[in-house]
Short mmCIF file of all heavy atoms in Angstrom, two decimals:
data_model
loop_
_atom_site.label_atom_id
_atom_site.label_comp_id
_atom_site.label_asym_id
_atom_site.label_seq_id
_atom_site.Cartn_x
_atom_site.Cartn_y
_atom_site.Cartn_z
N ALA A 1 4.38 -0.69 17.82
CA ALA A 1 3.44 0.45 17.81
C ALA A 1 3.60 1.29 16.52
O ALA A 1 2.71 1.73 15.85
CB ALA A 1 3.62 1.32 19.03
N ALA A 2 4.91 1.65 16.24
CA ALA A 2 5.25 2.56 15.10
C ALA A 2 4.75 1.86 13.87
O ALA A 2 4.23 2.55 12.93
CB ALA A 2 6.69 2.92 15.13
N ASN A 3 5.16 0.61 13.64
CA ASN A 3 4.75 -0.09 12.33
C ASN A 3 3.22 -0.18 12.22
O ASN A 3 2.70 0.12 11.11
CB ASN A 3 5.40 -1.49 12.54
CG ASN A 3 5.06 -2.38 11.31
OD1 ASN A 3 3.87 -2.61 10.89
ND2 ASN A 3 6.06 -2.91 10.67
N HIS A 4 2.57 -0.55 13.23
CA HIS A 4 1.09 -0.80 13.16
C HIS A 4 0.40 0.51 12.90
O HIS A 4 -0.59 0.65 12.14
CB HIS A 4 0.64 -1.51 14.42
CG HIS A 4 -0.78 -2.06 14.33
ND1 HIS A 4 -1.14 -2.84 13.29
CD2 HIS A 4 -1.87 -1.92 15.10
CE1 HIS A 4 -2.33 -3.28 13.38
NE2 HIS A 4 -2.85 -2.68 14.46
N SER A 5 0.80 1.64 13.61
CA SER A 5 0.15 2.86 13.53
C SER A 5 0.43 3.33 11.98
O SER A 5 -0.58 3.87 11.36
CB SER A 5 0.83 3.89 14.30
OG SER A 5 0.25 5.22 14.18
N PHE A 6 1.65 3.21 11.48
CA PHE A 6 1.80 3.63 10.01
C PHE A 6 0.91 2.91 9.10
O PHE A 6 0.43 3.43 8.10
CB PHE A 6 3.27 3.40 9.67
CG PHE A 6 3.66 3.73 8.31
CD1 PHE A 6 4.19 5.01 8.01
CD2 PHE A 6 3.57 2.88 7.28
CE1 PHE A 6 4.60 5.32 6.74
CE2 PHE A 6 3.86 3.25 5.97
CZ PHE A 6 4.40 4.52 5.71
N TYR A 7 0.77 1.58 9.37
CA TYR A 7 0.03 0.71 8.43
C TYR A 7 -1.50 1.17 8.52
O TYR A 7 -2.15 1.31 7.39
CB TYR A 7 0.17 -0.72 8.93
CG TYR A 7 -0.60 -1.76 8.06
CD1 TYR A 7 -0.59 -1.85 6.72
CD2 TYR A 7 -1.41 -2.68 8.76
CE1 TYR A 7 -1.29 -2.80 5.96
CE2 TYR A 7 -2.11 -3.63 8.05
CZ TYR A 7 -2.08 -3.67 6.68
OH TYR A 7 -2.80 -4.64 6.05
N LEU A 8 -2.00 1.28 9.77
CA LEU A 8 -3.43 1.63 9.84
C LEU A 8 -3.72 3.01 9.17
O LEU A 8 -4.72 3.18 8.46
CB LEU A 8 -3.87 1.61 11.23
CG LEU A 8 -3.80 0.27 12.00
CD1 LEU A 8 -4.31 0.40 13.44
CD2 LEU A 8 -4.78 -0.71 11.24
N ARG A 9 -2.87 3.96 9.42
CA ARG A 9 -3.19 5.32 9.01
C ARG A 9 -2.99 5.47 7.39
O ARG A 9 -3.80 6.03 6.76
CB ARG A 9 -2.25 6.34 9.67
CG ARG A 9 -2.71 6.63 11.10
CD ARG A 9 -1.99 7.83 11.70
NE ARG A 9 -2.55 8.21 13.01
CZ ARG A 9 -3.65 8.88 13.18
NH1 ARG A 9 -4.38 9.36 12.13
NH2 ARG A 9 -4.06 9.12 14.37
N ASN A 10 -1.89 5.01 6.96
CA ASN A 10 -1.49 5.24 5.59
C ASN A 10 -2.23 4.28 4.63
O ASN A 10 -2.46 4.68 3.41
CB ASN A 10 0.01 5.15 5.35
CG ASN A 10 0.69 6.29 6.02
OD1 ASN A 10 0.75 7.45 5.41
ND2 ASN A 10 1.23 6.10 7.14
N CYS A 11 -2.60 3.13 5.08
CA CYS A 11 -3.25 2.18 4.18
C CYS A 11 -4.73 2.16 4.45
O CYS A 11 -5.50 2.52 3.51
CB CYS A 11 -2.66 0.78 4.41
SG CYS A 11 -0.89 0.63 3.87
N TYR A 12 -5.20 1.68 5.65
CA TYR A 12 -6.63 1.65 5.79
C TYR A 12 -7.31 2.91 5.94
O TYR A 12 -8.35 3.12 5.40
CB TYR A 12 -6.86 0.81 7.18
CG TYR A 12 -6.84 -0.70 6.93
CD1 TYR A 12 -5.68 -1.43 7.08
CD2 TYR A 12 -7.97 -1.31 6.38
CE1 TYR A 12 -5.64 -2.73 6.88
CE2 TYR A 12 -7.98 -2.77 6.17
CZ TYR A 12 -6.81 -3.41 6.41
OH TYR A 12 -6.74 -4.80 6.24
N LEU A 13 -6.79 3.91 6.63
CA LEU A 13 -7.50 5.12 6.91
C LEU A 13 -7.45 6.12 5.71
O LEU A 13 -8.49 6.53 5.18
CB LEU A 13 -7.01 5.84 8.16
CG LEU A 13 -7.68 7.16 8.55
CD1 LEU A 13 -9.05 6.91 8.95
CD2 LEU A 13 -6.88 7.86 9.75
N ASP A 14 -6.30 6.35 5.30
CA ASP A 14 -6.16 7.40 4.12
C ASP A 14 -5.87 6.74 2.81
O ASP A 14 -5.86 7.53 1.77
CB ASP A 14 -4.95 8.32 4.56
CG ASP A 14 -5.23 9.15 5.76
OD1 ASP A 14 -6.41 9.46 6.01
OD2 ASP A 14 -4.26 9.36 6.48
N ASN A 15 -5.58 5.47 2.69
CA ASN A 15 -5.48 4.77 1.49
C ASN A 15 -4.36 5.52 0.53
O ASN A 15 -4.41 5.60 -0.69
CB ASN A 15 -6.70 4.70 0.67
CG ASN A 15 -6.73 3.57 -0.36
OD1 ASN A 15 -6.04 2.66 -0.34
ND2 ASN A 15 -7.57 3.82 -1.39
N ARG A 16 -3.31 5.94 1.20
CA ARG A 16 -2.28 6.72 0.51
C ARG A 16 -1.47 5.93 -0.56
O ARG A 16 -0.95 6.45 -1.48
CB ARG A 16 -1.31 7.36 1.56
CG ARG A 16 -1.91 8.39 2.40
CD ARG A 16 -0.89 8.99 3.45
NE ARG A 16 -1.48 10.08 4.22
CZ ARG A 16 -1.48 11.37 3.90
NH1 ARG A 16 -0.90 11.68 2.72
NH2 ARG A 16 -2.01 12.20 4.65
N LEU A 17 -1.29 4.60 -0.21
CA LEU A 17 -0.59 3.87 -1.19
C LEU A 17 -1.22 3.85 -2.59
O LEU A 17 -0.65 3.95 -3.66
CB LEU A 17 -0.39 2.39 -0.69
CG LEU A 17 0.40 1.39 -1.56
CD1 LEU A 17 1.78 1.95 -1.86
CD2 LEU A 17 0.41 0.07 -0.89
N ALA A 18 -2.52 3.63 -2.52
CA ALA A 18 -3.36 3.57 -3.81
C ALA A 18 -3.41 4.89 -4.59
O ALA A 18 -3.36 4.92 -5.78
CB ALA A 18 -4.69 3.08 -3.60
N THR A 19 -3.39 5.97 -3.77
CA THR A 19 -3.47 7.32 -4.41
C THR A 19 -2.13 7.89 -4.79
O THR A 19 -2.07 9.10 -5.39
CB THR A 19 -4.24 8.28 -3.46
OG1 THR A 19 -3.51 8.43 -2.28
CG2 THR A 19 -5.59 7.78 -3.17
N GLY A 20 -1.03 7.22 -4.51
CA GLY A 20 0.24 7.70 -4.86
C GLY A 20 0.76 8.82 -3.94
O GLY A 20 1.67 9.60 -4.25
N GLU A 21 0.17 8.90 -2.73
CA GLU A 21 0.55 9.97 -1.77
C GLU A 21 1.46 9.50 -0.66
O GLU A 21 1.93 10.22 0.24
CB GLU A 21 -0.65 10.59 -1.21
CG GLU A 21 -1.57 11.24 -2.23
CD GLU A 21 -2.89 11.74 -1.62
OE1 GLU A 21 -3.19 11.34 -0.45
OE2 GLU A 21 -3.61 12.51 -2.35
N LEU A 22 1.65 8.11 -0.62
CA LEU A 22 2.42 7.57 0.47
C LEU A 22 3.93 7.87 0.32
O LEU A 22 4.53 7.70 -0.75
CB LEU A 22 2.23 6.05 0.59
CG LEU A 22 2.97 5.34 1.62
CD1 LEU A 22 2.56 5.76 3.01
CD2 LEU A 22 2.86 3.82 1.55
N GLU A 23 4.49 8.36 1.43
CA GLU A 23 6.04 8.64 1.47
C GLU A 23 6.65 7.69 2.45
O GLU A 23 6.13 7.44 3.58
CB GLU A 23 6.21 10.01 1.84
CG GLU A 23 5.82 11.07 0.77
CD GLU A 23 6.32 12.46 1.10
OE1 GLU A 23 7.17 12.60 1.99
OE2 GLU A 23 5.80 13.46 0.44
N LEU A 24 7.74 7.07 2.04
CA LEU A 24 8.42 6.16 2.95
C LEU A 24 9.95 6.32 2.70
O LEU A 24 10.42 6.34 1.49
CB LEU A 24 8.09 4.70 2.69
CG LEU A 24 8.65 3.64 3.65
CD1 LEU A 24 8.15 3.85 4.99
CD2 LEU A 24 8.39 2.27 3.03
N ALA A 25 10.67 6.48 3.76
CA ALA A 25 12.14 6.63 3.61
C ALA A 25 12.66 7.67 2.62
O ALA A 25 13.51 7.51 1.82
CB ALA A 25 12.83 5.26 3.36
N GLY A 26 11.89 8.88 2.63
CA GLY A 26 12.22 9.92 1.84
C GLY A 26 11.77 9.90 0.44
O GLY A 26 12.15 10.76 -0.42
N ARG A 27 10.98 8.94 0.09
CA ARG A 27 10.51 8.83 -1.32
C ARG A 27 8.92 8.68 -1.35
O ARG A 27 8.31 7.99 -0.56
CB ARG A 27 11.11 7.63 -2.05
CG ARG A 27 12.61 7.78 -2.39
CD ARG A 27 12.79 8.84 -3.39
NE ARG A 27 14.21 8.94 -3.80
CZ ARG A 27 15.14 9.69 -3.27
NH1 ARG A 27 14.75 10.51 -2.15
NH2 ARG A 27 16.34 9.78 -3.71
N LYS A 28 8.33 9.38 -2.32
CA LYS A 28 6.90 9.19 -2.64
C LYS A 28 6.76 7.96 -3.63
O LYS A 28 7.42 7.83 -4.51
CB LYS A 28 6.33 10.41 -3.30
CG LYS A 28 4.77 10.36 -3.47
CD LYS A 28 4.23 11.73 -3.91
CE LYS A 28 4.16 12.64 -2.83
NZ LYS A 28 3.30 13.89 -3.09
N LEU A 29 5.81 7.12 -3.25
CA LEU A 29 5.69 5.86 -3.85
C LEU A 29 4.60 5.87 -4.91
O LEU A 29 3.51 6.37 -4.74
CB LEU A 29 5.39 4.69 -2.80
CG LEU A 29 6.35 4.68 -1.66
CD1 LEU A 29 5.99 3.45 -0.77
CD2 LEU A 29 7.76 4.63 -2.09
N ASP A 30 4.83 5.30 -6.07
CA ASP A 30 3.95 5.15 -7.24
C ASP A 30 3.92 3.78 -7.69
O ASP A 30 4.86 3.16 -8.27
CB ASP A 30 4.39 6.08 -8.29
CG ASP A 30 3.45 6.11 -9.50
OD1 ASP A 30 2.46 5.34 -9.44
OD2 ASP A 30 3.65 6.89 -10.48
N LEU A 31 2.72 3.08 -7.45
CA LEU A 31 2.68 1.68 -7.80
C LEU A 31 2.73 1.40 -9.32
O LEU A 31 3.15 0.28 -9.70
CB LEU A 31 1.33 1.02 -7.31
CG LEU A 31 1.22 0.86 -5.76
CD1 LEU A 31 -0.22 0.47 -5.31
CD2 LEU A 31 2.30 -0.05 -5.15
N SER A 32 2.46 2.43 -10.14
CA SER A 32 2.51 2.28 -11.58
C SER A 32 3.91 2.05 -12.00
O SER A 32 4.16 1.68 -13.19
CB SER A 32 1.75 3.49 -12.20
OG SER A 32 2.49 4.61 -12.11
N GLN A 33 4.91 2.37 -11.19
CA GLN A 33 6.28 2.22 -11.58
C GLN A 33 6.81 0.81 -11.45
O GLN A 33 7.92 0.47 -11.73
CB GLN A 33 7.13 3.16 -10.73
CG GLN A 33 6.85 4.69 -10.99
CD GLN A 33 7.00 5.06 -12.47
OE1 GLN A 33 7.99 4.82 -13.09
NE2 GLN A 33 5.91 5.68 -13.07
N ILE A 34 5.93 -0.11 -10.81
CA ILE A 34 6.31 -1.48 -10.73
C ILE A 34 6.07 -2.16 -12.08
O ILE A 34 4.87 -2.34 -12.43
CB ILE A 34 5.49 -2.17 -9.61
CG1 ILE A 34 5.74 -1.51 -8.27
CG2 ILE A 34 5.76 -3.59 -9.55
CD1 ILE A 34 4.95 -2.00 -7.10
N SER A 35 7.10 -2.59 -12.74
CA SER A 35 6.91 -3.06 -14.11
C SER A 35 7.45 -4.53 -14.31
O SER A 35 7.39 -5.06 -15.40
CB SER A 35 7.68 -2.18 -15.12
OG SER A 35 9.09 -2.10 -14.69
N LEU A 36 7.79 -5.19 -13.27
CA LEU A 36 8.23 -6.59 -13.30
C LEU A 36 7.09 -7.51 -13.45
O LEU A 36 5.89 -7.11 -13.19
CB LEU A 36 9.15 -6.96 -12.22
CG LEU A 36 8.56 -7.19 -10.91
CD1 LEU A 36 9.63 -7.90 -9.91
CD2 LEU A 36 8.04 -5.96 -10.21
N PRO A 37 7.30 -8.80 -13.89
CA PRO A 37 6.08 -9.68 -13.98
C PRO A 37 5.50 -9.98 -12.65
O PRO A 37 6.23 -10.16 -11.65
CB PRO A 37 6.78 -10.98 -14.60
CG PRO A 37 8.01 -10.45 -15.31
CD PRO A 37 8.55 -9.34 -14.46
N THR A 38 4.13 -9.96 -12.52
CA THR A 38 3.53 -10.19 -11.24
C THR A 38 2.41 -11.26 -11.39
O THR A 38 1.73 -11.36 -12.42
CB THR A 38 2.89 -8.87 -10.78
OG1 THR A 38 2.03 -8.32 -11.81
CG2 THR A 38 3.96 -7.82 -10.37
N TYR A 39 2.25 -11.97 -10.36
CA TYR A 39 1.28 -13.04 -10.18
C TYR A 39 0.39 -12.68 -8.97
O TYR A 39 0.99 -12.37 -7.91
CB TYR A 39 1.84 -14.33 -10.02
CG TYR A 39 0.92 -15.56 -9.97
CD1 TYR A 39 0.76 -16.46 -11.08
CD2 TYR A 39 0.23 -15.89 -8.76
CE1 TYR A 39 -0.09 -17.51 -11.09
CE2 TYR A 39 -0.53 -17.01 -8.77
CZ TYR A 39 -0.80 -17.79 -9.82
OH TYR A 39 -1.52 -18.89 -9.79
N CYS A 40 -0.88 -12.63 -9.06
CA CYS A 40 -1.68 -12.29 -7.87
C CYS A 40 -2.80 -13.35 -7.65
O CYS A 40 -3.51 -13.77 -8.54
CB CYS A 40 -2.38 -10.95 -8.24
SG CYS A 40 -3.58 -10.55 -6.86
N LEU A 41 -2.99 -13.77 -6.45
CA LEU A 41 -3.98 -14.70 -5.97
C LEU A 41 -4.85 -14.02 -5.03
O LEU A 41 -4.51 -13.35 -4.05
CB LEU A 41 -3.34 -15.92 -5.34
CG LEU A 41 -4.35 -16.90 -4.80
CD1 LEU A 41 -4.88 -17.78 -5.91
CD2 LEU A 41 -3.83 -17.80 -3.54
N ALA A 42 -6.19 -14.09 -5.32
CA ALA A 42 -7.21 -13.74 -4.41
C ALA A 42 -8.04 -14.94 -4.07
O ALA A 42 -8.10 -15.87 -4.85
CB ALA A 42 -8.09 -12.54 -4.98
N THR A 43 -8.77 -14.88 -2.88
CA THR A 43 -9.69 -15.94 -2.61
C THR A 43 -11.14 -15.48 -2.52
O THR A 43 -11.42 -14.37 -2.05
CB THR A 43 -9.26 -16.70 -1.36
OG1 THR A 43 -9.28 -15.71 -0.24
CG2 THR A 43 -7.89 -17.33 -1.52
N ARG A 44 -12.03 -16.24 -3.02
CA ARG A 44 -13.40 -15.81 -3.30
C ARG A 44 -14.10 -15.47 -1.95
O ARG A 44 -14.96 -14.50 -1.90
CB ARG A 44 -14.16 -16.84 -4.13
CG ARG A 44 -15.48 -16.34 -4.70
CD ARG A 44 -15.95 -17.13 -5.85
NE ARG A 44 -16.98 -16.52 -6.55
CZ ARG A 44 -17.64 -17.08 -7.54
NH1 ARG A 44 -17.31 -18.25 -7.95
NH2 ARG A 44 -18.70 -16.46 -8.20
N GLU A 45 -13.90 -16.17 -0.86
CA GLU A 45 -14.60 -15.93 0.28
C GLU A 45 -13.75 -15.27 1.40
O GLU A 45 -13.99 -15.36 2.62
CB GLU A 45 -15.19 -17.22 0.89
CG GLU A 45 -16.10 -17.95 -0.09
CD GLU A 45 -16.50 -19.41 0.38
OE1 GLU A 45 -16.41 -19.63 1.58
OE2 GLU A 45 -16.82 -20.22 -0.49
N ASP A 46 -12.81 -14.47 0.95
CA ASP A 46 -11.86 -13.81 1.89
C ASP A 46 -12.56 -12.75 2.63
O ASP A 46 -13.09 -11.70 2.15
CB ASP A 46 -10.70 -13.26 1.15
CG ASP A 46 -9.48 -13.03 1.95
OD1 ASP A 46 -9.59 -12.66 3.11
OD2 ASP A 46 -8.33 -13.22 1.41
#
């Protein structure tokens, strides 16, 4: 319950991860600070 509620509210409802407002374990998260090499796959009919 705790995990699913956090995910629905902070990601789907308020989109806090994308806006830089998400806090987890005492830290505010900023995706722009991820600087390592990344590979991303999307699927066209997802």
Side-chain angles (χ1 to χ4, degrees):
N3 179 303
H4 196 49
S5 177
F6 181 94
Y7 178 52
L8 293 181
R9 286 192 172 278
N10 289 280
C11 293
Y12 275 96
L13 182 63
D14 297 326
N15 203 24
R16 291 179 177 272
L17 180 58
T19 59
E21 299 172 351
L22 179 62
E23 292 189 15
L24 185 68
R27 288 292 186 271
K28 184 172 284 191
L29 308 185
D30 182 357
L31 293 173
S32 69
Q33 297 302 305
I34 299 174
S35 58
L36 75 170
T38 52
Y39 184 104
C40 174
L41 176 82
T43 55
R44 195 162 190 178
E45 300 172 24
D46 201 324

